Amino acid sequence: MNGSFFFLMLFFVVGQRWYELRLAQKHERILKKLGALEIAPDTYKYIVLFHVTYFLMLIGEGVQNHFSRPDWWLFLTVTFCILQGFRVWVIQSLGVFWNTKILILPGADVVKRGPYRWIRHPNYFIVVVELITLALLFQAYWTALFSCIGNAILLNQRIRFEEEALSSHTNYGEKFGLKDEAR
């Protein structure tokens, strides 16, 4: 039974990622036609490598642990499901500007609706918590640790590139009160 639940969750997340990659490609085509710039394209391959490694580690630890779940698995499952609702909210709030790459449309009015009213990078926060939650759900503690360290390294760099580009090419600093801080 635990193996079935594990693979159901894995299938769901991988399917979701596949859909999101397709959506990101569609958004990328639209934004590039409008003149969007891709920022730090060399860093994207590390994000992809991180996620592939994460899922391979999750599967490996899942097999090693016989797909066992902790006593508090129901709480983790509910948390994971709630995070999916927030993920949809983020994607809908950004619309065509949501992407897996850093794409900046010069002169664009930065989105500050949905969760972006309260937090500058809700999608990154959701991904961090989601990956930790999923790993803990199957007692994949090494995968959870890898997720924490990997995300800390990658997102620190990615957010810096993204905020610099947004501040240089859009009204980001104005919208989020960072005009002097970002430059």
Side-chain angles (χ1 to χ4, degrees):
M1 185 66 161
N2 284 341
S4 298
F5 181 68
F6 177 87
F7 286 107
L8 177 68
M9 292 294 285
L10 186 66
F11 178 75
F12 172 78
V13 175
V14 169
Q16 179 186 54
R17 294 299 193 269
W18 178 83
Y19 171 78
E20 289 173 359
L21 286 173
R22 303 284 297 175
L23 182 62
Q25 290 169 344
K26 176 184 171 189
H27 290 173
E28 180 179 7
R29 285 191 298 275
I30 293 168
L31 288 171
K32 284 193 172 176
K33 281 182 184 175
L34 295 172
L37 309 169
E38 184 173 351
I39 307 301
D42 297 351
T43 63
Y44 186 68
K45 62 186 169 201
Y46 298 111
I47 299 281
V48 172
L49 179 62
F50 167 75
H51 282 271
V52 168
T53 303
Y54 170 88
F55 285 110
L56 291 174
M57 287 180 69
L58 183 65
I59 292 167
E61 276 195 274
V63 168
Q64 182 182 10
N65 296 333
H66 307 287
F67 309 111
S68 62
R69 297 177 294 203
D71 293 338
W72 53 301
W73 72 271
L74 190 56
F75 170 78
L76 292 167
T77 303
V78 169
T79 300
F80 182 83
C81 291
I82 290 169
L83 289 168
Q84 301 323 297
F86 282 118
R87 174 189 294 288
V88 170
W89 190 25
V90 162
I91 292 170
Q92 287 180 340
S93 295
L94 284 180
V96 74
F97 292 105
W98 180 86
N99 211 292
T100 56
K101 296 179 179 178
I102 304 173
L103 296 170
I104 307 296
L105 184 60
D109 187 33
V110 173
V111 172
K112 194 171 180 185
R113 65 179 170 268
Y116 292 88
R117 287 180 287 194
W118 303 288
I119 183 172
R120 292 192 315 230
H121 301 285
N123 191 60
Y124 299 144
F125 174 76
I126 291 164
V127 169
V128 167
V129 177
E130 173 192 54
L131 294 180
I132 292 168
T133 302
L134 191 59
L136 293 177
L137 181 57
F138 296 103
Q139 299 186 75
Y141 302 117
W142 289 111
T143 304
L145 180 63
F146 169 78
S147 175
C148 290
I149 294 168
N151 267 318
I153 293 167
L154 292 171
L155 291 179
N156 179 51
Q157 180 185 45
R158 183 177 172 100
I159 289 170
R160 190 177 72 248
F161 286 139
E162 192 172 315
E163 288 195 343
E164 286 173 5
L166 283 166
S167 294
S168 297
H169 299 288
T170 70
N171 63 344
Y172 183 77
E174 235 173 82
K175 283 261 182 148
F176 287 96
L178 306 172
K179 199 72 169 168
D180 298 326
E181 181 183 315
R183 291 190 187 239

